[in-house]
Amino acid sequence: ENELKYIYYIIPLITFSILHAYRPFYLGLIHDDWSIFVIPNQMTPKELLEYSISQFSDRPGIGLAYYTICFLWNGSIPILVFITSTFVAISAILLYLVLRKIEILLGNRSFSAEIATTTWIAFPWSLGYSVWNSGAVTLLCLILFLAHILMTFNYVEAGKKWYLTASIAFLCSSFLTYEAFYLGFIPVSALLIILYKQNRKNIERILITLTSSTLIQISVIVLSLQSTP
């Protein structure tokens, strides 16, 4: 088992390398990559800023991400594909950390975190957010949501206020980036209640995060309704 564990650790890395190492030299632009990256890349900084604000007023997080990429990008297609593959890599790392944390809380070591992460990287549904450059950037909302989960786990476990602050900030940023994880904090809270049901102090912290997350969710929905182009 000690020999096998090292194989489990590197399987996600090998899978990602096989599926993404060649892409900057092979893949190109798809669908609205042209309107999101190529055309804005030709704009002046002022025009780019105005474009990003007007087009993504209801999703300022993704607008900021597109703006930053277009502002820094030199027009090279391989570099753009490399950037979007980086979003996939970061999200896979955070997914692994979340699943590994759950394994630890369950007192289980079955290498399911490595297997699940590898599956997430390799299966066909990944094409939508890895081959499609503008789609891959929307993984920022997943990255922020997974960071929220990690900070929530840390707050419930340790009770430090900065963990709670970070958890709230990441959740709010995820919601303002994309709507994929609206109400996603509810199953996370349910899982934590199951894991910590015997500890009153932990339950109180879970309720604090649940209440904070609910207020953030309501606020973001109201803001989105008012700012949708």
Side-chain angles (χ1 to χ4, degrees), residues 101-170:
K101 183 67 175 180
I102 294 173
E103 277 189 339
I104 292 172
L105 291 173
L106 291 173
N108 178 37
R109 190 65 183 108
S110 61
F111 301 105
S112 57
E114 289 83 359
I115 295 171
T117 302
T118 301
T119 302
W120 185 82
I121 293 171
F123 266 46
W125 59 67
S126 70
L127 294 175
Y129 53 75
S130 58
V131 174
W132 181 23
N133 295 302
S134 44
V137 180
T138 63
L139 284 174
L140 179 60
C141 76
L142 172 60
I143 291 170
L144 293 166
F145 187 73
L146 290 171
H148 154 73
I149 295 176
L150 288 173
M151 291 299 102
T152 301
F153 283 174
N154 289 339
Y155 171 68
V156 171
E157 187 174 1
K160 295 182 179 180
K161 291 183 179 179
W162 80 267
Y163 283 137
L164 177 61
T165 302
S167 170
I168 292 172
F170 282 128

Side-chain angles (χ1 to χ4, degrees), residues 17-18 20 29 31 36 75 93 117 163 169 180 182 199 202 206-207:
S17 298
I18 291 173
H20 284 265
L29 300 174
H31 194 42
I36 289 179
I93 291 170
T117 302
Y163 283 137
Y182 274 18
N199 192 309
N202 294 125
I206 294 169
L207 293 177

Side-chain angles (χ1 to χ4, degrees), residues 123-229:
F123 266 46
W125 59 67
S126 70
L127 294 175
Y129 53 75
S130 58
V131 174
W132 181 23
N133 295 302
S134 44
V137 180
T138 63
L139 284 174
L140 179 60
C141 76
L142 172 60
I143 291 170
L144 293 166
F145 187 73
L146 290 171
H148 154 73
I149 295 176
L150 288 173
M151 291 299 102
T152 301
F153 283 174
N154 289 339
Y155 171 68
V156 171
E157 187 174 1
K160 295 182 179 180
K161 291 183 179 179
W162 80 267
Y163 283 137
L164 177 61
T165 302
S167 170
I168 292 172
F170 282 128
L171 182 65
C172 185
S173 299
S174 178
F175 287 165
L176 291 174
T177 298
Y178 217 72
E179 300 86 355
F181 295 99
Y182 274 18
L183 301 178
F185 58 88
I186 294 178
V188 173
S189 298
L191 174 62
L192 285 168
I193 289 173
I194 293 172
L195 293 172
Y196 288 103
K197 60 184 177 182
Q198 303 297 332
N199 192 309
R200 180 178 177 181
K201 193 65 177 178
N202 294 125
I203 294 296
E204 290 176 356
R205 294 169 185 163
I206 294 169
L207 293 177
I208 289 173
T209 62
L210 180 59
T211 302
S212 301
S213 299
T214 301
L215 293 174
I216 291 171
Q217 179 70 92
I218 294 172
S219 300
V220 170
I221 290 176
V222 172
L223 177 63
S224 179
L225 291 173
Q226 293 177 343
S227 61
T228 300

Side-chain angles (χ1 to χ4, degrees), residues 39-110:
I39 296 176
N41 185 247
Q42 310 304 313
M43 298 178 180
T44 65
K46 182 180 179 181
E47 290 173 337
L48 178 59
L49 180 60
E50 292 174 350
Y51 172 81
S52 299
I53 293 174
S54 64
Q55 294 297 312
F56 303 102
S57 57
D58 57 336
R59 296 171 176 170
I62 200 69
L64 178 60
Y66 287 142
Y67 169 81
T68 303
I69 292 172
C70 290
F71 184 78
L72 298 176
W73 181 43
N74 66 355
S76 168
I77 302 302
I79 289 178
L80 179 62
V81 176
F82 175 79
I83 291 171
T84 55
S85 286
T86 301
F87 279 89
V88 179
I90 295 173
S91 58
I93 291 170
L94 287 174
L95 176 63
Y96 169 76
L97 292 176
V98 168
L99 295 175
R100 183 71 186 100
K101 183 67 175 180
I102 294 173
E103 277 189 339
I104 292 172
L105 291 173
L106 291 173
N108 178 37
R109 190 65 183 108
S110 61

